[in-house]
Amino acid sequence: GAFAFFANVAINTYWARTRTDGSSSDATSYRIQFDYDADRYGARFERLVVGDRFNPEVGFVRRDNMRRSLAQLRFSPRTRNHPTVRRLSWVGDMDYVETTDGRLETRERRGEFSIELHNSDSFGVAYSNSDEFVPVAFRIASDVTVPVGEYQFDNVRVRYGFGQQRMLSGTVAAERGTFFGGTKTTFSLSQGLAALTSQLSIAPGVSVNRVVLPQGAVTSRLVTTRVTYTMTPLMFASALVQYNSAADSVSANVRWRWEYLPGSELFVVYNEERDARRRGFPGLENRALIIKVNRLLRF
């Protein structure tokens, strides 16, 4: 159910249950979310539960066996007659995740102060403090493993966003904080966009993470580039190429979309992934060609 009241109040909720042979208990999931999103004030409260045996099969559940409680408050006053600053914003939130039997898995407290300028640029500083329980050891690199245990994180992030009205736009950010008993330093460029012409644009993205743990150190790099060419308002082609140093892989996603009738579309998608560990040209891992057609019927 989705319910909207007045201009700024929204309530979203669902309830779902799955049935699997030999597993009938704890197979439900539900969410209740309340949003108040006015210009000066904002608030969000959410309760999400995913049972340990909830199994949608063809659906996608990022995290099962969880009960999540989220609260967020925002205060965003606009300035009067300031020559540079358009708006100030303070946001604070708390996210609490536990298993369905009550064991704490994740708890995060976060605060951010940001400034929006008249030229649509923005600046922000955020601090977060979180706790995380790792029930099963996992590897973040071939020779670096995070052991079972409880961990606390403190993280500071500074960002500057260039407005989309510029020929070159995007958000540059730097982060520094603790990470599973060690430290993590991140530099990133996200939401980048270079409008070369009215029809052709390039959207670059870069993320570099330097992780230093007692078990070892690792540096991961993620580089992406998306090229989009718009033939007409109803037709475009785009290509996304990505390099991931952690997986030593190069992947590509090429898509062509045509809205042949209002609300009816044709998609042709080509995906390919290659192993960058091989010498010379990266070896093929997998590829796929997908064609999708939808037709809108009006009654």
Side-chain angles (χ1 to χ4, degrees), residues 234-254:
L234 302 177
M235 181 188 301
F236 74 86
S238 68
L240 172 67
V241 180
Q242 176 175 283
Y243 168 70
N244 186 345
S245 67
D248 281 321
S249 67
V250 179
S251 59
N253 170 268
V254 182

Side-chain angles (χ1 to χ4, degrees), residues 122-271:
S122 63
F123 170 79
V125 179
Y127 169 76
S128 64
N129 171 265
S130 59
D131 302 280
E132 187 81 19
F133 174 70
V134 177
V136 179
F138 67 95
R139 292 192 305 173
I140 62 172
S142 58
D143 55 348
V144 180
T145 300
V146 175
V148 174
E150 296 182 3
Y151 298 89
Q152 187 177 65
F153 303 83
D154 291 284
N155 188 72
V156 176
R157 182 175 188 264
V158 180
R159 64 169 178 84
Y160 190 90
F162 297 89
Q164 292 187 354
Q165 83 284 357
R166 299 176 180 270
M167 183 177 177
L168 297 174
S169 64
T171 299
V172 293
E175 298 182 39
R176 173 73 175 179
T178 54
F179 186 78
F180 293 111
T183 61
K184 185 181 78 166
T185 305
T186 302
F187 298 97
S188 64
L189 166 65
S190 60
Q191 299 176 335
L193 182 64
L196 304 182
T197 69
S198 60
Q199 294 177 284
L200 179 63
S201 65
I202 299 177
V206 179
S207 177
V208 180
N209 291 273
R210 175 63 177 173
V211 176
V212 180
L213 302 179
Q215 299 84 2
V218 61
T219 300
S220 66
R221 301 172 183 86
L222 181 66
V223 182
T224 63
T225 300
R226 182 185 296 275
V227 180
T228 302
Y229 181 72
T230 304
M231 298 83 162
T232 72
L234 302 177
M235 181 188 301
F236 74 86
S238 68
L240 172 67
V241 180
Q242 176 175 283
Y243 168 70
N244 186 345
S245 67
D248 281 321
S249 67
V250 179
S251 59
N253 170 268
V254 182
R255 181 176 58 159
W256 177 71
R257 172 190 176 270
W258 173 38
E259 187 175 359
Y260 58 93
L261 288 173
S264 301
E265 301 163 307
L266 168 64
F267 292 92
V268 180
V269 182
Y270 176 76
N271 294 323

